[in-house]
Amino acid sequence: MLEETKKFLSGPLGSFINNQWLTDEEGERFEVTDPCTAEPIAKVRRASAVELDSAVEAADKAFPAWSALPANERAIYLHRIADALEKNFDTIAEIETLDVGKTIENTKGFDIPFGVECIRYFADLSMSLPTDTPLAIKAMEARIHRVPYGVCGFIFPWNFPYNLLLWGIVPALAAGNTVVVKPAELTPLSTLFFAKLAEEAGLPAGVLNVVTGSGREVGEAMCNHKKIKRMSFTGSSFVGKKIGEACGRNLIPCKLELGGKGAAVVFEDADLDLAAEQLSAAITFNTGQVCCTATRWIVQESVVETFTDKVTSLLKSVKLGHGLKAETGMGPLASEKQRQTVVDYLAKGEAEGATAVLKGECVTPEGCEQGYFMTPSLLKGDTENICFKEEIFGPSAYLTTFTDEADAMEQVHSIDYGLANSVFTADLERANRVADNMACGNNWINAHNVFAYGLPYGGVNLSGLGGGVNSPETYYDYLRPQTVARPL
């Protein structure tokens, strides 16, 4: 571990409100553990609803001055934070790896640079997109004028704490809103380190606030706070429905980025080596704890045996180990609770008649005897199986076969998730036809997990509502439209 990482983790750590750290030793604290070893790596002060209220008040007080700044001046602050992240690249990569259990290759190769790019993208976008749109209406001078909402509340999950934080709050800040963040108790560390860097970069007090409490207390208080003007939640569909209900009762606009059960349709003319490579990587990336990953593999009957041989060979070759080791190909599940969830699902799937093509097993890599590791698994069966229908959130996929395009599409649409699907075929006309007709927020051709700034990303049905991320549409999500009209 780097000395800077050790220094940060040694604390004290707690909520960040109005550019003040609430880290006193008297309050209740919770431990954050390394899922590779199950050993504690930090202690964080557990916040209450009282602290949440203080954070909202601070954000509300800071809003008028922050929103009044020209977009280019807000962008300066954001670019300074991006500079600080780049300067501390290795440290935040280690913190994210230790907190989540993912590999250092993933954090350094994807998470951290993609997050920095997010900041620069929205900072620059805010200076180029208009906030006024003229309307062509007879005998009238009229326009849509867009203004920031005010205080925006964010609740984030534990699987991608750093990237999801930036995907959420950066467009809101760039648009002139102030924010209050509740990170997951399981993985709050990179969020707190980001707040530290934002403070050092000179971000004005109250613009960014982080409250390190439980969802039951702090999350509920956030959803019901009258000064929260826009809510965003990323997480499970089950919890998302409850947050949507709470926001609905208070008429707070709510953005929900929820779970998925992605389908990958593999036609007989597909490049099977490519399909196997993409789909094996999809369920091992972040140990399968990715809402948009492809976990339903719908393969044409004539090539299922060949595809299965190729993909199982790749999955068997994945090297498990501590995330900080360069040779590690897949880390642990984020917690013992999540590992047990995966174990239970696989048992239920087999009990309902699925065949274990590749059996998932709990293992203990050298030096990680207490970690939450599990090998990749692949089940094969019918579409009525629980493992075909429900999100497992682990390194596991479910294989079915199809006869023709209509059969494949029926399987794709047999469940209500709609976050990210893919189609593999050499026939681009068919690829586009299938992609156009899959009811899903994101449909990819001959690839899976494709992300780029400017490429909208969001879900439908059980996978979410209220807009997506990574695009100009995201920026406008955090600006409230109002009309201005003058009769001529």
Side-chain angles (χ1 to χ4, degrees):
M1 241 192 286
L2 295 169
E3 287 302 317
E4 182 63 26
T5 305
K6 293 178 184 177
K7 180 180 177 182
F8 174 75
L9 295 180
S10 65
L13 298 171
S15 295
F16 177 72
I17 299 173
N18 205 31
N19 278 19
Q20 300 292 316
W21 291 94
L22 279 64
T23 57
D24 64 86
E25 297 291 340
E26 295 181 5
E28 183 184 351
R29 312 182 83 75
F30 60 91
E31 287 186 336
V32 179
T33 61
D34 175 359
C36 293
T37 63
E39 295 177 355
I41 54 174
K43 289 186 178 181
V44 180
R45 187 177 185 276
R46 190 186 304 278
S48 66
V50 174
E51 285 181 26
L52 183 280
D53 183 66
S54 297
V56 175
E57 291 294 337
D60 185 57
K61 185 178 179 180
F63 171 68
W66 178 251
S67 61
L69 288 177
N72 67 303
E73 293 189 26
R74 291 195 297 266
I76 289 171
Y77 285 108
L78 294 174
H79 275 294
R80 286 176 182 167
I81 295 171
D83 291 341
L85 285 169
E86 289 179 329
K87 183 179 179 180
N88 293 270
F89 184 94
D90 290 338
T91 302
I92 196 164
E94 277 196 349
I95 290 170
E96 187 79 340
T97 293
L98 288 166
D99 205 7
V100 185
K102 61 180 64 180
T103 68
I104 195 72
E105 179 185 4
N106 285 164
T107 52
K108 287 188 174 183
F110 174 73
D111 293 58
I112 309 307
F114 203 59
V116 171
E117 187 181 352
C118 174
I119 298 174
R120 299 203 189 282
Y121 172 77
F122 282 109
D124 293 343
L125 194 69
S126 69
M127 295 186 288
S128 62
L129 288 183
T131 54
D132 285 83
T133 303
L135 300 174
I137 298 176
K138 182 181 178 181
M140 191 178 297
E141 179 184 83
R143 70 185 188 276
I144 297 172
H145 179 62
R146 297 176 179 86
V147 297
Y149 280 88
V151 182
C152 296
F154 292 86
I155 300 175
F156 294 112
W158 44 260
N159 58 330
F160 282 91
Y162 166 84
N163 263 330
L164 293 176
L165 169 77
L166 299 186
W167 288 6
I169 71 169
V170 171
L173 292 172
N177 301 279
T178 53
V179 303
V180 178
V181 175
K182 194 209 86 64
E185 282 186 276
L186 201 62
T187 56
L189 300 179
S190 59
T191 300
L192 294 174
F193 191 75
F194 175 84
K196 173 180 178 292
L197 296 183
E199 179 190 16
E200 293 173 356
L203 191 68
V207 173
L208 166 66
N209 306 273
V210 180
V211 185
T212 53
S214 70
R216 184 176 297 277
E217 183 170 4
V218 173
E220 286 187 14
M222 182 183 289
C223 293
N224 289 295
H225 202 291
K226 293 184 178 178
K227 289 189 176 180
I228 294 284
K229 300 301 181 182
R230 186 94 163 86
M231 265 299 300
S232 176
F233 169 77
T234 307
S236 72
S237 302
F238 176 78
V239 177
K241 287 180 179 180
K242 292 183 177 297
I243 288 176
E245 288 174 4
C247 291
R249 286 193 297 271
N250 296 306
L251 298 179
I252 298 172
C254 185
K255 183 183 177 82
L256 300 173
E257 298 290 336
L258 308 179
K261 188 71 177 176
V265 179
V266 181
F267 284 92
E268 61 186 358
D269 66 341
D271 181 335
L272 297 183
D273 288 320
L274 173 66
E277 178 185 329
Q278 287 281 313
L279 297 180
S280 62
I283 68 163
T284 56
F285 178 57
N286 204 31
T287 319
Q289 298 164 127
V290 186
C291 55
C292 59
T293 201
T295 55
R296 292 185 294 148
W297 297 350
I298 304 169
V299 182
Q300 198 150 21
E301 283 182 347
S302 58
V303 294
V304 68
E305 289 187 12
T306 303
F307 171 80
T308 301
D309 289 343
K310 290 178 181 293
V311 79
T312 53
S313 177
L314 290 170
L315 292 174
K316 287 177 180 178
S317 69
V318 175
K319 182 175 177 57
L320 277 64
H322 197 288
L324 289 181
K325 292 184 177 181
E327 67 271 19
T328 296
M330 189 176 83
L333 279 302
S335 66
E336 179 57 31
K337 178 182 178 182
Q338 186 57 30
R339 180 167 71 168
Q340 193 56 53
T341 295
V342 177
V343 169
D344 290 346
Y345 263 115
L346 297 181
K348 290 176 183 176
E350 288 194 63
E352 291 184 8
T355 300
V357 177
L358 189 61
K359 201 169 184 67
E361 297 177 333
C362 297
V363 294
T364 55
E366 184 179 355
C368 301
E369 284 71 17
Q370 303 303 314
Y372 316 127
F373 290 87
M374 191 170 190
T375 61
S377 61
L378 177 61
L379 297 183
K380 182 180 179 182
D382 60 42
T383 60
E384 294 303 310
N385 195 282
I386 189 173
C387 291
F388 179 88
K389 292 180 175 181
E390 297 186 12
E391 186 178 35
I392 297 175
F393 225 56
S396 181
Y398 192 92
L399 180 67
T400 61
T401 61
F402 70 92
T403 53
D404 55 26
E405 188 175 316
D407 182 18
M409 294 298 283
E410 183 178 351
Q411 292 188 44
V412 169
H413 294 133
S414 63
I415 64 174
D416 290 332
Y417 285 106
L419 185 55
N421 294 335
S422 54
V423 53
F424 292 84
T425 176
D427 184 342
L428 290 183
E429 182 180 348
R430 174 166 59 189
N432 281 285
R433 180 176 64 249
V434 170
D436 286 346
N437 287 290
M438 288 195 286
C440 196
N442 311 274
N443 292 319
W444 298 313
I445 294 174
N446 293 331
H448 201 89
N449 288 342
V450 179
F451 305 99
Y453 292 106
L455 184 67
Y457 170 91
V460 298
N461 300 329
L462 285 182
S463 293
L465 57 83
V469 295
N470 296 352
S471 67
E473 288 85 349
T474 315
Y475 177 73
Y476 281 132
D477 274 347
Y478 292 100
L479 289 170
R480 177 178 56 79
Q482 59 189 37
T483 58
V484 179
R486 180 176 69 89
L488 298 176

